[in-house]
Amino acid sequence: MSDLVIIGGGGAGMTAALTARKINPRVDVTIITKESLSYSSCALPFVISGEIPSMDDITSSMEAICQKSGIKLVLDSATSIDTKKKVVSTERSGLISYDSLIIATGGRTMVPPIKGADLRNILTLYTVDDAEKIMAQANKSKKAVVIGGGAIGIEAAAALVGLGLKVTLVEGFPHVLFRFFDDEYLAIIEDELKAKGIEIILSHFVEEVMGKEKVDAVKVAGKEIPSDLIIMATGVRPNSEIAEKAGIKTMKYGILTDWLMQTNIKDVYAAGDCAYSRSMITGELMLSQLGTTAIRHGTVAGMNAVGESVAFEGALGSMALKIFDLKVGRTGLTEREAKEAGIDVISGRAKATTKAKYYPGHKEVDVKLIFDAASKELIGGQIIGGGAVAKKIDLIALGISKHATVEDLIGLGYSYTPPLAPSHNVIVLAAENAYRKMKRAEEARRRRF
């Protein structure tokens, strides 16, 4: 009998285990996973590109982590859950009973039903094994096609360009990263990709993969594109089947939980890529399959599974990406998403530099802030440029979570020194731009009466 059993040892599962042990060092924690290594899949594109020298640099032994932390490790696959008897069945290790259970089974890459998708040299990018296969094939290839223009697709394409391959990126939406940024920033991102030699095909899906035993070309938009390697970066599907079979409530693919990360079954929690989140802004269900969400899910589930009562605040989809020389970040709702949700918005945009303009090495940074026009509260932000993009996105995300208004951001107390920051903060400048638009809108309404 374990006080807490966790199925899955990825970001959510390991975080839950370590958190539970910190909260109550006496608790007996067991992790069931078939993975012998602990790593962040977000690092894989940078190992492929050579920016991180070795796979050893991003991996750690699950056994060593668990031994150091007093966690029992079962290297096996969970096959079923009996929530009435409170036991988990495994392939080789028999039945493992629990008081509390956390399902952190992650996800798997989705491969669309394209004709020829079973040919050799069609790979995905989600695991260490995936990355090693890509590196091995890239060394024998000259041309590659990446299907999917999300974060993983873009990072994979950039990695292959770094290895000297000619890369074509195919995206069915009108833009790459379509769900994450508004159009004016997407144009800048696409220009950067094209400048580095990536051919982009938008608003089209791959019709067929051509070849006999291995890939020779893909057919898209009425033409054939020669390719030695295809990377499918078409999304991640939650591994929720074990939960569904146990009578745990799911919707479409993901596991449903409450704000405590508890499922409809008492003492059973879910966390990470297999579980739904709710938007912090709209309260709507969403899949937020990001490493930071998995960690927060795991933290909340790990605490509550051993007796705490902590709520998951909701997801903002905060992310930062390095696209060649360009750094981009986003959080909250885009202007497009806000309008689809029925929220009237006013946005503010400003450009500044990362350091004082006269200080060597300064770079431009471009910020867009999105406010609810009625409440004047911050609901989204996007950044593109150089410098510490991630830190600024984190600050914007904090503002959203604290219901900061445009006036709050205008009054932000910030630091300044020429080597590190300019005298005018770009977030404040963007807020001031939005504030002026709000005042003009108010004046226009008054003139109607």
Side-chain angles (χ1 to χ4, degrees), residues 284-326:
E284 295 296 317
L285 285 170
M286 61 184 289
L287 282 173
S288 179
Q289 294 171 319
L290 300 169
T292 47
T293 303
I295 289 170
R296 185 58 187 158
H297 276 191
T299 300
V300 172
M303 294 177 73
N304 294 334
V306 293
E308 296 292 314
S309 182
V310 178
F312 173 64
E313 308 86 347
L316 289 174
S318 303
M319 65 185 293
L321 291 173
K322 175 180 172 291
I323 305 171
F324 296 108
D325 300 324
L326 198 63

Side-chain angles (χ1 to χ4, degrees), residues 323-337:
I323 305 171
F324 296 108
D325 300 324
L326 198 63
K327 299 178 180 69
V328 301
R330 57 91 61 204
T331 187
L333 300 181
T334 63
E335 199 165 342
R336 188 187 317 110
E337 287 175 321

Side-chain angles (χ1 to χ4, degrees), residues 349-427:
R349 189 173 173 186
K351 294 181 181 180
T353 52
T354 54
K355 307 173 183 180
K357 284 185 178 180
Y358 49 78
Y359 197 89
H362 72 268
K363 296 180 180 178
E364 187 178 83
V365 61
D366 184 338
V367 170
K368 178 179 182 178
L369 301 178
I370 300 160
F371 296 89
D372 183 321
S375 67
K376 298 184 181 180
E377 289 184 3
L378 181 65
I379 60 172
Q382 297 160 48
I383 301 179
I384 196 163
V389 163
K391 292 182 180 179
K392 288 182 174 63
I393 282 295
D394 292 347
L395 178 59
I396 295 170
L398 178 63
I400 296 172
S401 69
K402 296 301 181 183
H403 304 282
T405 64
V406 65
E407 290 92 346
D408 292 331
L409 292 186
I410 289 172
L412 174 69
Y414 58 87
S415 60
Y416 156 62
T417 182
L420 300 178
S423 56
H424 292 280
N425 184 286
V426 69
I427 292 175

Side-chain angles (χ1 to χ4, degrees), residues 36-50:
S36 60
L37 295 176
S38 176
Y39 59 91
S40 168
S41 59
C42 298
L44 295 174
F46 305 103
V47 179
I48 294 171
S49 68

Side-chain angles (χ1 to χ4, degrees), residues 67-231:
Q67 187 174 24
K68 181 180 179 181
S69 305
I71 298 166
K72 183 180 179 182
L73 175 64
V74 178
L75 286 173
D76 202 347
S77 295
T79 56
S80 66
I81 303 165
D82 188 326
T83 59
K84 293 181 179 178
K85 294 181 179 179
K86 286 195 165 186
V87 294
V88 177
S89 299
T90 63
E91 282 187 354
R92 301 180 305 277
S93 306
L95 301 177
I96 300 174
S97 58
Y98 63 85
D99 286 330
S100 293
L101 174 69
I102 298 175
I103 302 170
T105 43
R108 62 188 182 277
T109 48
M110 292 189 293
V111 177
I114 301 169
K115 184 180 179 181
D118 57 345
L119 292 172
R120 282 194 290 115
N121 301 346
I122 299 178
L123 304 173
T124 58
L125 181 54
Y126 193 63
T127 67
V128 165
D129 186 52
D130 291 338
E132 289 175 338
K133 288 178 180 176
I134 290 171
M135 289 189 287
Q137 182 58 36
N139 289 333
K140 300 180 285 185
S141 301
K142 294 182 179 179
K143 298 179 180 180
V145 172
V146 177
I147 302 174
I152 294 297
I154 285 178
E155 289 177 339
L160 294 176
V161 168
L163 296 177
L165 277 70
K166 170 64 178 173
V167 178
T168 301
L169 181 64
V170 182
E171 172 55 61
F173 282 114
H175 293 284
V176 301
L177 296 171
F178 185 67
R179 294 188 300 110
F180 302 108
F181 292 89
D182 286 315
D183 290 355
E184 62 269 36
Y185 282 6
L186 293 174
I188 298 170
I189 293 168
E190 287 165 2
D191 286 345
E192 176 72 6
L193 294 171
K194 292 173 185 175
K196 294 300 189 290
I198 296 175
E199 180 183 359
I200 304 174
I201 299 174
L202 301 170
S203 300
H204 288 281
F205 296 96
V206 171
E207 301 156 27
E208 182 181 354
V209 179
M210 309 177 77
K212 292 185 178 180
E213 294 182 358
K214 64 180 183 63
V215 172
D216 291 326
V218 299
K219 188 176 181 181
V220 59
K223 65 178 181 178
E224 294 179 11
I225 302 170
S227 179
D228 311 303
L229 166 65
I230 292 176
I231 296 179

